[in-house]
Amino acid sequence: MRPAAFRNFLLLASSLLFAGLSAVPQSFSPSLRSATGAACRLSRAESERRCRAPGQPPGGALCHGRGRCDCGVCICHVNEPGVYFGPLCECHEWVCETYDGSTCAGHGKCDCGKCKCEEGWFGDACQYPTHCDLTKKKSNQLCKNSQDVICSNAGTCHCGRCKCDNPDGNSLVYGKFCECDDRECIDDETEEICGGHGKCYCGNCYCGSGWHGDKCEFQCDITPWESKRRCTSPDGKICSNRGTCVCGECSCHDVDPTGDWGDVHGDTCECDERDCRAVYDRYSDDFCSGHGQCNCGRCDCKVGWYGKKCEHPRSCPLSAEESIRKCQGSSDLPCSGRGKCECGKCTCYPPGDRRVYGKTCECDDRRCEDLDGTVCGGHGTCSCGRCVCERGWFGELCQHPRKCNMTEEQSKSLCESADGILCSGKGSCHCGKCICSAEEWYISGELCDCDDRDCDKHDGLICTGNGICNCGNCECWDGWNGNACEIWLGTEYP
């Protein structure tokens, strides 16, 4: 056998031996266990000392954190032969330096975390040739990044390969063209990478759950689950796939910084004004073909026009004033603010929802539902948005029984607010439930403690008529969004 071949054989055999020893069963240790399953003859402290790297203080990682200690012997985590090996699991072939995506630049072997270079190559990743046959001009050309800067001004060029400046030996500047500088991730106050709350990749911090900021220096005051809930758009996507969620708020990827809010906006980035343009041009204001108004990415066409981009003319014998007058009926708004007026006829929306109907969309049976969807409390029927209660029940949603099976004291105890005032002084108590004053239409809530005047208005209507005011906040019907439920998110109108 040739000397070189014999040497390679010995290296292979020793590697397999290390891997084999690392994978032995827990009971194996002939010198320290008298028999299989017997107790270890070493104390716990002595056992851990043998599994700890020399010079490492007590409490440090055992077996380099890559295995478990069994009676002074490291049992390495071996998922693939040779991945973790060595008496203290100190060798790991993945930790060798790479260059241009190749371990040891393809010019060496990884030996226990260090590259052993082939003849004619040197460097931590075996990336530099010992002898260079390139001219200086050609060498520099190979070292230029996409901006034609040699080694990104963060290193020197050696035979067409960049050697990055790391005077402290911390390897924070790296990359084929020294384009990555992880010093940008160091927090100025703590001097930790990403403040100790994230990982740095090519100079950018990727924060752990609950942290944000350029250096992961800010902690959210809400849970990650609450943050995700707040950022979830009506279609179930995080920030509508058009933004980044930070502590429950969406930062939209605004493609047009020239506008007041740009093309992508909304609490969950649900609005994309680009959908209103026939041909997208970030500098053009030609929305809806010039025949309508863009509302959260949906075109509201002027009378006489229709189509997704209001691109089709519609013939109508009525004037715009006549058309709107026919659509108004007894309401102040065309189609009661719950539909679209076209040539004197209302198309109620959401399209296909039979709960909204009438010649001028004046009937909205959703007003008969409580927040969990029960119609008239289960004790009545709904007729054009008003509950007709069964005998023995009354109230706006038929929620109050006429007869009560509790004492007056029991009833009052259920109607008292935290300050001891019955129904907040703005209603009467009936069978443990508050009936708010009819004169003050805006008072609501279980204890009459809510003021619906706090709910946002649009076009003069609370919650735009597209939702219900719940204790000062608009609860929008399906398909609607916005503080005043003024934004339609459904498909285009028929």
Side-chain angles (χ1 to χ4, degrees):
M1 183 180 294
R2 295 180 180 178
F6 182 73
R7 184 168 59 253
N8 291 337
F9 171 79
L10 288 178
L11 287 173
L12 177 61
S14 62
S15 176
L16 293 174
L17 178 60
F18 276 134
L21 288 175
S22 300
V24 293
Q26 182 177 357
S27 60
F28 178 80
S29 183
S31 60
L32 301 175
R33 295 186 187 275
S34 56
T36 302
C40 180
R41 290 185 289 168
L42 296 176
S43 66
R44 180 177 178 178
E46 177 60 20
S47 174
E48 292 184 353
R49 185 189 68 78
R50 296 190 181 195
C51 290
R52 197 177 289 115
Q56 195 175 19
L62 301 179
C63 306
H64 284 81
R66 298 167 178 161
R68 56 184 172 81
C69 183
D70 178 36
C71 198
V73 175
C74 283
I75 309 297
C76 303
H77 300 317
V78 180
N79 299 321
E80 300 175 24
V83 170
Y84 293 131
F85 55 94
L88 296 176
C89 307
E90 70 274 18
C91 297
H92 180 198
E93 64 178 12
W94 294 340
V95 300
C96 272
E97 295 285 342
T98 62
Y99 178 79
D100 201 16
S102 299
T103 301
C104 302
H107 302 300
K109 298 286 187 181
C110 186
D111 183 10
C112 198
K114 292 186 178 181
C115 289
K116 287 195 172 181
C117 303
E118 298 172 354
E119 187 175 348
W121 295 89
F122 73 100
D124 293 337
C126 304
Q127 71 271 43
Y128 305 120
T130 306
H131 302 289
C132 184
D133 54 0
L134 299 177
T135 64
K136 187 174 182 179
K137 182 178 179 180
K138 180 63 175 177
S139 175
N140 287 342
Q141 193 65 35
L142 293 174
C143 286
K144 288 182 178 180
N145 61 16
S146 56
Q147 287 78 40
D148 282 337
V149 179
I150 295 175
C151 298
S152 307
N153 283 335
T156 56
C157 184
H158 180 86
C159 199
R161 291 167 172 79
C162 287
K163 187 174 184 180
C164 304
D165 296 334
N166 283 291
D168 298 331
N170 49 24
S171 300
L172 293 178
V173 182
Y174 57 94
K176 184 176 181 180
F177 302 106
C178 303
E179 70 275 14
C180 296
D181 189 350
D182 284 358
R183 293 174 298 185
E184 298 292 332
C185 293
I186 298 176
D187 189 287
D188 295 333
E189 294 184 5
T190 64
E191 296 185 352
E192 291 184 279
I193 295 288
C194 301
H197 306 297
K199 292 186 177 181
C200 185
Y201 297 98
C202 202
N204 295 297
C205 281
Y206 292 82
C207 305
S209 180
W211 294 87
H212 66 102
D214 292 339
K215 307 289 177 64
C216 305
E217 68 271 34
F218 302 116
Q219 188 173 18
C220 297
D221 56 359
I222 57 176
T223 65
W225 297 273
E226 176 64 14
S227 176
K228 180 180 179 182
R229 186 191 71 78
R230 294 184 187 182
C231 289
T232 300
S233 56
D235 58 4
K237 299 174 182 177
I238 301 298
C239 299
S240 307
N241 283 348
R242 301 189 191 104
T244 304
C245 182
V246 178
C247 280
E249 294 185 1
C250 287
S251 176
C252 303
H253 301 326
D254 190 355
V255 296
D256 188 0
T258 60
D260 291 337
W261 57 28
D263 285 337
V264 181
H265 60 96
D267 291 340
T268 57
C269 307
E270 69 277 7
C271 301
D272 191 343
E273 307 296 344
R274 292 173 297 179
D275 294 338
C276 291
R277 295 172 173 172
V279 178
Y280 180 65
D281 177 0
R282 61 180 295 177
Y283 301 107
S284 170
D285 291 328
D286 183 21
F287 289 104
C288 305
S289 306
H291 306 301
Q293 183 176 356
C294 188
N295 183 12
C296 193
R298 175 185 59 81
C299 283
D300 288 333
C301 302
K302 295 177 181 178
V303 174
W305 294 88
Y306 73 100
K308 189 174 182 180
K309 306 289 176 63
C310 304
E311 68 272 31
H312 302 300
R314 187 192 301 274
S315 59
C316 178
L318 301 177
S319 67
E321 293 76 13
E322 289 174 324
S323 175
I324 290 176
R325 187 164 53 249
K326 282 181 174 289
C327 289
Q328 276 183 311
S330 59
S331 173
D332 293 333
L333 295 174
C335 304
S336 306
R338 290 188 285 270
K340 185 178 183 180
C341 180
E342 292 180 326
C343 200
K345 293 184 179 180
C346 287
T347 300
C348 304
Y349 48 78
D353 192 338
R354 295 184 178 182
R355 295 174 297 175
V356 184
Y357 56 95
K359 186 177 180 180
T360 59
C361 305
E362 70 275 10
C363 296
D364 190 347
D365 286 355
R366 296 174 299 185
R367 295 190 175 279
C368 294
E369 301 176 358
D370 56 23
L371 293 179
D372 63 4
T374 304
V375 177
C376 299
H379 306 295
T381 57
C382 186
S383 175
C384 196
R386 294 181 178 271
C387 284
V388 180
C389 301
E390 299 172 353
R391 181 177 296 180
W393 294 86
F394 73 100
E396 186 179 355
L397 293 177
C398 304
Q399 70 270 43
H400 301 298
R402 295 192 180 276
K403 292 184 179 180
C404 186
N405 57 1
M406 62 177 66
T407 65
E408 186 175 355
E409 289 75 16
Q410 289 173 326
S411 176
K412 288 183 177 180
S413 66
L414 294 175
C415 290
E416 287 183 353
S417 56
D419 53 8
I421 299 177
L422 202 67
C423 298
S424 304
K426 298 177 181 179
S428 59
C429 183
H430 178 79
C431 204
K433 292 185 177 181
C434 288
I435 301 176
C436 302
S437 171
E439 296 177 359
E440 298 177 293
W441 60 267
Y442 46 83
I443 300 300
S444 64
E446 292 184 6
L447 299 175
C448 302
D449 51 345
C450 299
D451 191 334
D452 286 353
R453 290 176 298 182
D454 294 336
C455 274
D456 289 319
K457 293 183 180 180
H458 185 71
D459 287 336
L461 292 176
I462 290 179
C463 304
T464 323
N466 301 319
I468 187 171
C469 186
N470 180 25
C471 209
N473 293 299
C474 288
E475 299 280 350
C476 304
W477 308 129
D478 290 343
W480 291 94
N481 199 359
N483 293 333
C485 306
E486 75 278 16
I487 301 174
W488 169 243
L489 299 178
T491 56
E492 63 177 306
Y493 300 144

